[in-house]
Amino acid sequence: MTADAHGDADVALRVRALESLLLEKGLVESPAIDEIIDLFENRLGPQNGARVVARAWSDPEFKARLLANATDAIVEMGYEAVQGEDMVVVENTPRVHNLVVCTLCSCFPWATLGLPPVWYKSAPYRSRAASDPRGVLLEFGTAVADEAEVRVWDSNAELRYMVLPERPAGTDAMGEDELLALVTRDSMIGVTRALAP
Ligand code: FE
């Protein structure tokens, strides 16, 4: 934890130094930087993915479109791919638990989940999610029944996967806005389930 915090502060300092240098040399303009910061701070992130999931839980027709063509269904909700990638959404059920990784580097659906967490980019997660997915899931506190299948999806530059977690029990009366709060970033990577109400 402490090492990460120090690492972040160090990176922030370097980024600020780089930014002033680029501005000073006239290589970039301040509004362009503000635009990028706004994109990453406010417009990308797991709040978008949570909207997609809450809508899919509430609207069977949208869910069918999402599972058939996630790229179009996500654009329909106003979230555009940042790097031109296609999206595939895989559904968790009592029989199948899906888990997303990028074994090569850190490919991640920025439009719906924002920037990847540090552990997602780590070598142990990248290798063990593929070789021992059940072990990795247990470390995240997620036990998957022996009779259920665990499927691992390897994201890449062209194709990014997102998990549609199972709608938690006891949420039948909840509307989209209430459901949103139950959808975590990690549940859309598949390392955990959606929160219980
Ligand atoms: Fe990658």
Side-chain angles (χ1 to χ4, degrees):
M1 235 17 189
T2 314
D4 278 350
H6 286 160
D8 286 348
D10 190 43
V11 169
L13 206 65
R14 282 161 191 256
V15 168
R16 226 171 304 146
L18 193 61
E19 181 183 335
S20 359
L21 202 65
L22 290 169
L23 287 169
E24 197 180 292
K25 302 238 176 226
L27 291 172
V28 291
E29 295 190 346
S30 194
I33 293 182
D34 289 345
E35 168 76 7
I36 292 169
I37 290 172
D38 177 57
L39 178 68
F40 279 93
E41 281 193 342
N42 303 317
R43 287 185 278 145
L44 301 181
Q47 71 276 11
N48 296 353
R51 277 253 164 239
V52 172
V53 168
R55 173 114 193 254
W57 284 347
S58 312
D59 176 348
E61 285 176 15
F62 176 76
K63 179 179 162 182
R65 290 203 294 285
L66 181 69
L67 295 175
N69 184 336
T71 308
D72 287 355
I74 287 167
V75 168
E76 175 190 322
M77 289 201 61
Y79 310 130
E80 300 261 359
V82 179
Q83 300 176 301
E85 70 276 7
D86 280 324
M87 288 286 302
V88 169
V89 170
V90 288
E91 183 186 16
N92 278 355
T93 69
R95 287 158 182 268
V96 178
H97 188 97
N98 296 285
L99 178 66
V100 178
V101 64
C102 172
T103 55
L104 199 65
C105 42
S106 57
C107 297
F108 200 65
W110 288 5
T112 49
L113 297 189
L115 295 173
V118 170
W119 56 259
Y120 183 87
K121 300 186 274 187
S122 73
Y125 179 76
R126 283 161 35 212
S127 62
R128 289 197 49 237
S131 64
D132 178 24
R134 283 175 189 270
V136 167
L137 284 165
L138 276 179
E139 281 168 27
F140 280 92
T142 307
V144 178
D146 287 343
E147 57 274 22
E149 183 191 346
V150 174
R151 291 186 192 154
V152 179
W153 301 88
D154 197 354
S155 281
N156 59 56
E158 285 83 37
L159 202 57
R160 311 284 166 94
Y161 294 96
M162 186 177 105
V163 172
L164 173 59
E166 269 185 85
R167 181 171 176 158
T171 58
D172 289 358
M174 292 172 85
E176 265 185 63
D177 286 340
E178 282 176 289
L179 290 169
L180 272 182
L182 307 179
V183 188
T184 62
R185 177 197 64 199
D186 289 0
S187 72
M188 295 180 279
I189 302 174
V191 290
T192 59
R193 294 191 170 88
L195 302 173

